[in-house]
Amino acid sequence: MRALILPTALIVTGLAAPALAQDFEASVYTGWQTAPHSRISGDMPGTGDSFDELIGWEGKSFEMPPYWGIRGTWWQSATFGWALEFTHAKVYANEDDRDDAGFETLEFTDGINILTVNAMQRWPEHWGKLTPFVGAGLGIAVPHVEVATTDGSDDTFEYQYTGPAARLLAGVSYPINDTWSVYGEYQFTYSWNEADLDEGGTLETDIKTNALNVGVSMKF
């Protein structure tokens, strides 16, 4: 869990200091997250044998630990702001592809943790009371790497910084009152992951996620 302390501390600091912004908004969300196929490559732990396989990923958004995210947005004007966002996404390799690659376990399920700084744009009450918004961000991936070989001789189970990440999102929000609003959005993330495995192994893969989110925001 120590790899998550920094993202959490940064977000909590933002929540605790809304006075620094003209308009601060704290948002939380959950939803349905999926991930398309991607290729994994690297060296097997222990043996050093190379592997290169196409893997089908499953999101399992509503199984423990669930998919969720948090975002703090400092609106610099009525239409533009900066946001710090953390998303706890996850992916499991499907069983057949995992076995073909030579692994007993192959997943990032606590999770593919994405932390980004976003540029945000909104159009207040563009459709009646509805406010559309978009965002794009760059940051880092800190997944929980869970990889075990088929023979059970090598097991990697730890958080790692594995590379850069990017995020795109678009949605619409609806005010409940002056403080609270609800929203829905589509979100895409892309992370470039280079993980170290036990016994000198390596694993590289690019993970893409697609998510439909619903959430609630509180304005300070």
Side-chain angles (χ1 to χ4, degrees):
M1 293 299 291
R2 282 181 291 181
L4 298 182
I5 291 175
L6 178 59
T8 303
L10 291 171
I11 292 171
V12 170
T13 300
L15 294 174
L20 298 177
Q22 296 179 10
D23 183 5
F24 180 79
E25 189 175 44
S27 306
V28 295
Y29 58 83
T30 186
W32 179 52
Q33 171 249 309
T34 64
H37 288 62
S38 69
R39 187 165 293 278
I40 65 168
S41 61
D43 299 319
M44 275 291 183
T47 67
D49 295 338
S50 62
F51 60 87
D52 189 329
E53 294 286 341
L54 184 64
I55 300 293
W57 301 103
E58 300 176 21
K60 301 183 181 180
S61 304
F62 306 111
E63 296 184 11
M64 294 298 294
Y67 163 79
W68 61 275
I70 184 170
R71 179 165 64 235
T73 307
W74 291 261
W75 293 106
Q76 305 298 299
S77 69
T79 58
F80 178 80
W82 296 101
L84 182 65
E85 183 164 357
F86 173 79
T87 304
H88 176 89
K90 56 181 185 170
V91 292
Y92 302 75
N94 73 52
E95 186 174 343
D96 290 341
D97 293 344
R98 182 198 67 200
D99 292 346
D100 290 344
F103 294 102
E104 177 68 24
T105 303
L106 178 58
E107 58 192 55
F108 304 97
T109 50
D110 201 23
I112 289 284
N113 299 300
I114 305 295
L115 178 68
T116 60
V117 174
N118 306 342
M120 304 289 293
Q121 183 77 29
R122 65 181 176 181
W123 295 265
E125 299 184 347
H126 184 71
W127 299 314
K129 287 190 173 183
L130 295 174
T131 295
F133 61 88
V134 297
L138 295 174
I140 61 173
V142 189
H144 191 262
V145 181
E146 302 179 32
V147 177
T149 54
T150 303
D151 61 11
S153 60
D154 299 293
D155 187 3
T156 303
F157 190 82
E158 62 184 13
Y159 288 101
Q160 296 184 21
Y161 163 69
T162 56
R167 183 192 312 272
L168 296 172
L169 61 98
V172 62
S173 66
Y174 180 85
I176 299 173
N177 52 40
D178 290 340
T179 302
W180 295 93
S181 61
V182 294
Y183 65 94
E185 67 182 25
Y186 163 76
Q187 189 168 130
F188 170 81
T189 69
Y190 197 117
S191 59
W192 294 263
N193 300 279
E194 296 184 7
D196 295 323
L197 306 181
D198 285 355
E199 303 298 328
T202 62
L203 186 148
E204 297 184 17
T205 186
D206 296 346
I207 299 293
K208 302 172 284 292
T209 70
N210 296 285
L212 295 176
N213 299 332
V214 292
V216 60
S217 296
M218 182 180 181
K219 183 169 66 175
F220 293 83

